[in-house]
Amino acid sequence: MKRFLVFPMLIGLSGVLMTGCASSEQTSTESNNMESTESASSERNQTKQGDQEQEEVQQNAEEKQEQQEPQYKVSEVSSIVPIDGAEPQVALLTFDDAPDKHALEIAESLKEADAPAIFFVNGHFLTTDEQKETLKKIHDMGFAIGNHTYSHANLNDLTDEEVKEEILKVNEEVEEIIGEKPEFFRAPFGENTDYSRQLAEDEGMTVMNWTYGYDWESQYQDSDALADIMVNTELLGNGANLLMHDREWTAQAVPDIVTGLKDKGYDLVEPDTIERPS
């Protein structure tokens, strides 16, 4: 009887083992199928996410391109002229001879007043680490940087080769400090030459002088007098291009100048909206 009982037990064990193997194989198959499904789903999600990111990148690029469409151009007399119906009652703030001693103070006052501006720099004010750091801070605050030559020499007194060095040396130094070249060019004393104008445009800089300024005149080397004349001069009009300098009295007058212009209904031009050479 014991011999006969062995076979059913073996058969039973075999059945259990086979059932166990079958169950294990089924579980493994189900697990693989689940992993495949999850993998396919993950790939679909990644593809969908990638498509969404690509769409966002493209949308941002298009928005950036729209924002970069010029709204203003510089006239032959350096006033700011609207393009395609842009607001005409505007003024542009510019500061030359930066960064000497007061450029950062000026920039901080402008930033607090939400007033855009261009800072035109001279290379001889970029010789120390402190001056370079000041320029970087001004740029990082969102202000446009312009080229005002290296030594502030009258370009009419120089050879073309000397003019080239005066302009390109500043471009190289500014790019090294802030990571990009200046976007605007202003010749010292407003004295351009045919060569300097063409070189600046070839470098991608918009050339401009100004429509009025007073802070170098002795009677306006006082913050109250300067603020009054900058806002109330008969020369103020649509598209005015205001010239100021890195000076103590100018720095003190900036808040009142900004307030006065805004009170008269003038918008302050964002330099990024000004047309660049094509």
Side-chain angles (χ1 to χ4, degrees):
M1 286 296 293
K2 289 181 181 179
R3 284 202 306 266
F4 292 107
L5 288 172
V6 170
F7 291 107
M9 291 177 64
L10 290 174
I11 292 171
L13 283 172
S14 176
V16 171
L17 291 172
M18 289 178 65
T19 303
C21 290
S23 176
S24 176
E25 289 175 0
Q26 183 177 0
T27 302
S28 177
T29 301
E30 290 175 352
S31 176
N32 289 337
N33 289 339
M34 186 177 297
E35 290 176 1
S36 298
T37 302
E38 290 176 352
S39 177
S41 176
S42 176
E43 289 177 1
R44 285 195 298 271
N45 289 336
Q46 289 176 359
T47 301
K48 185 177 181 181
Q49 184 178 358
D51 291 341
Q52 289 175 343
E53 290 176 353
Q54 188 174 359
E55 288 177 4
E56 289 177 3
V57 169
Q58 185 175 355
Q59 184 177 356
N60 291 337
E62 290 174 354
E63 289 177 355
K64 187 175 182 181
Q65 185 175 3
E66 289 177 1
Q67 292 171 356
Q68 290 178 343
E69 287 296 320
Q71 298 179 35
Y72 298 92
K73 62 183 178 180
V74 180
S75 73
E76 292 183 359
V77 293
S78 291
S79 61
I80 308 304
V81 180
I83 300 174
D84 296 333
E87 170 59 46
Q89 192 175 0
V90 296
L92 175 67
L93 301 180
T94 69
F95 298 85
D96 287 7
D97 302 345
D100 187 3
K101 297 178 181 178
H102 304 280
L104 186 57
E105 179 185 352
I106 292 171
E108 289 171 345
S109 293
L110 292 169
K111 187 72 174 178
E112 185 176 350
D114 192 25
I118 304 173
F119 285 82
F120 285 94
V121 304
N122 294 115
H124 63 250
F125 290 133
L126 296 174
T127 58
T128 69
D129 290 341
E130 183 179 0
Q131 290 170 331
K132 293 176 182 178
E133 182 61 25
T134 295
L135 178 63
K136 188 175 186 306
K137 287 179 180 179
I138 292 171
H139 174 261
D140 289 347
M141 291 167 69
F143 295 103
I145 305 301
N147 183 326
H148 198 38
T149 75
Y150 190 86
S151 67
H152 204 275
N154 189 321
L155 300 184
N156 285 303
D157 297 334
L158 306 179
T159 65
D160 285 353
E161 191 60 33
E162 289 170 333
V163 169
K164 183 178 181 179
E165 184 176 359
E166 283 279 336
I167 295 174
L168 296 189
K169 191 172 182 180
V170 173
N171 276 5
E172 291 169 0
E173 290 188 355
V174 169
E175 184 175 21
E176 184 177 344
I177 295 168
I178 68 173
E180 59 187 49
K181 294 180 181 179
E183 301 173 314
F184 302 91
F185 177 74
R186 173 174 284 164
F189 316 105
E191 295 288 342
N192 266 297
T193 66
D194 291 340
Y195 178 76
S196 69
R197 183 177 292 276
Q198 186 60 55
L199 177 61
E201 291 179 354
D202 290 344
E203 285 287 304
M205 294 184 288
T206 297
V207 178
M208 68 169 67
N209 284 339
W210 57 89
T211 57
Y212 71 84
Y214 295 94
D215 66 354
W216 61 90
E217 298 181 17
S218 58
Q219 67 265 43
Y220 299 116
Q221 293 179 8
D222 168 84
S223 60
D224 291 337
L226 180 60
D228 179 70
I229 191 64
M230 292 299 288
V231 173
N232 295 312
T233 175
E234 61 183 12
L235 298 177
L236 175 62
N238 290 356
N241 187 338
L242 281 60
L243 169 62
M244 290 169 278
H245 295 79
D246 183 336
R247 302 288 185 269
E248 181 180 6
W249 49 89
T250 304
Q252 294 170 352
V254 162
D256 288 340
I257 292 172
V258 172
T259 300
L261 291 170
K262 290 183 176 181
D263 286 347
K264 285 197 167 186
Y266 285 88
D267 290 339
L268 301 179
V269 176
E270 288 281 356
D272 284 347
T273 65
I274 299 175
E275 186 178 58
R276 306 287 194 279
S278 54

